[in-house]
Structures are given as structure tokens and as C-alpha cells.
């Protein structure tokens, strides 16, 4: 079972771990609180089997499977910690070559950049599918015709939190965000990529780490 603890509950767990067995009176003393103020937290911790209470002896840290996820730690993680290498093409790349790149690189979207690595567009699976549904020669059509263009591209920077990235993915209903670094002239240089899968993975890994 995984539950989230508040800060005071986490502190209590740490105190008990280091000093078991310890009475509620002593725990209260260390936190400069009254025993009454601790009652609710202690009952949460014993009901969830994180702590064990032995009458007249005190509280023990219980070695059960119960773990807690420190969600604060997860939310503090930065885009920088999980970003991956961007998969990029040029504006003149053909739709055909873009599709081949999508398969080879095993991604859902490509970033379109200029010669200075500046972001000019994004092209997704469905953008490419759309062109192939018509009577078009995919070798003749450049991606610039079908891509979503700047300034309509949603981006993140490496110092942003992964929560901010996740929020953008949900709000704008997109699968991938370019990680960018603004240049002095305001143009955005592409330095990475964050996908829906990266976000899901960090939640799963974090829970497994427990
Ligand atoms: P798919 O179309 O394959 O489901 P998305 O949901 O990511 O993939 O893309 C939906 C639309 O949004 C596409 O037209 C795509 O060009 C555009 N798009 C994708 N990523 C972004 C982004 N980061 N910012 C703005 N538009 C984007």
C-alpha cells in the first residue's frame, strides 16, 4: 500500500526510526507539541501500520510493506532530470523522410529546426497521416507545409518542473514538448524533448523506488 504523509507525519516516522521504542510523550517533546496535538497523526501512522504501538513501551517503526511516496520530492524534479534527445528534421525534409525518421527513431513527433538549431515547427503522427490520406506524393511535399509553426508551439525550459510539463501536455492535448533555451534575440534553441511517456515513466519509477 502507498499513501502520502504530511510533513509532520514524516518527521514523526524519522524520530521513531531513530529512537524506537519511544513514547508519545517523548515524540511530542521533540516536536515541541502537546501529546494531544500529535494524537491524530499517530493514529494515522498506526492504522496504516507504518508505526506499531506497544502499551507502556512506546512506538516502533514497523517493517511491513507499507511505504509512502514523497510526492513533494517528485514534484520538485526538473525537466532537466528526465529530458531526452530531440529528434529533429529540417523544413525542407519530405513528408516521406519524416515518416521514415518517426519509425527509425521510435517517436511520435518530430521537431523542425533551422540551421542554427532554432525551433520552427512540430510535426506529429497525425499531421503526417493527414497528408498521406490525400492523393499526394509524400516525396514531393516538405514538412513545412503540414507542421504546426512557431509561435504556436508549446515549450518548456530545463529549469521547469516536470509537473509544469505534465500540466502543459494535459492542457494543450499534445504528446510531446520541445525543451528549449531562449537565445539573446528571443529565438528558441531546441535542447531536448519531453513526452507523455517520459512523464508516465517518472511516476512509475518513483513509485517502484518507494
Ligand atoms: P498526434 O497528432 O499524433 O496525436 P499530438 O497530440 O502531439 O500528436 O499533436 C496534435 C497536434 O498538435 C498536431 O497538429 C501537432 O502538430 C500539434 N503539436 C504537437 N506538439 C505540439 C507542441 N508542443 N506545441 C504546439 N502544437 C503541438
Amino acid at each position: 500500500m502507498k499513501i502520502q504523509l504530511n510533513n509532520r507525519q514524516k518527521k514523526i516516522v524519522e524520530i521513531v526510526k531513530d529512537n524506537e521504542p519511544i513514547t508519545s510523550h517523548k515524540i511530542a517533546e521533540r516536536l515541541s507539541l502537546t501529546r494531544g496535538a500529535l494524537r491524530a497523526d499517530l493514529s494515522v501512522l498506526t492504522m496504516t501500520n507504518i508505526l506499531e504501538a506497544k502499551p507502556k513501551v512506546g512506538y516502533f517503526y514497523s517493517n511491513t510493506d507499507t511505504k509512502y511516496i514523497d510526492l513533494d520530492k517528485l514534484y520538485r524534479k526538473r525537466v532537466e532530470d528526465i529530458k531526452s534527445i530531440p529528434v529533429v528534421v529540417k523544413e525542407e525534409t519530405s513528408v516521406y523522410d519524416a515518416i521514415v525518421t518517426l519509425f527509425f527513431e521510435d517517436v511520435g513527433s518530430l521537431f523542425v529546426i533551422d540551421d542554427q538549431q532554432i525551433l520552427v515547427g512540430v510535426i506529429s503522427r497525425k499531421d503526417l497521416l493527414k497528408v498521406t490520406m490525400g492523393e499526394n506524393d509524400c516525396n514531393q511535399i516538405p514538412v513545412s507545409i503540414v507542421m504546426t509553426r512557431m509561435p504556436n508551439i508549446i515549450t518548456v525550459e530545463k529549469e521547469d518542473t516536470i509537473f509544469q510539463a505534465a500540466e502543459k501536455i494535459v492542457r494543450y492535448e499534445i504528446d510531446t514538448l520541445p525543451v528549449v533555451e531562449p537565445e539573446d534575440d528571443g529565438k528558441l534553441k531546441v535542447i531536448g524533448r519531453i513526452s507523455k511517456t517520459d512523464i508516465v515513466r517518472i511516476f512509475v519509477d518513483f513509485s517502484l523506488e518507494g
Side-chain angles (χ1 to χ4, degrees), residues 130-145:
K130 231 185 292 170
V131 212
T132 56
M133 285 176 76
E135 297 284 299
N136 300 309
D137 180 356
C138 298
N139 280 299
Q140 299 304 321
I141 305 173
V143 291
S144 56
I145 305 279

Side-chain angles (χ1 to χ4, degrees), residues 109 122-127 148 152-154 173-178:
S109 302
V122 172
I123 185 148
S124 74
R125 268 184 287 233
K126 273 188 224 127
D127 293 333
T148 300
N152 300 321
I153 301 187
I154 312 300
E173 299 181 355
I174 45 183
D175 287 352
T176 314
L177 294 167

Side-chain angles (χ1 to χ4, degrees), residues 84-97:
S84 46
I85 294 167
V87 181
V88 297
V89 291
K90 294 283 167 63
E91 276 194 85
E92 55 277 13
T93 304
S94 70
V95 164
Y96 182 91
D97 287 341

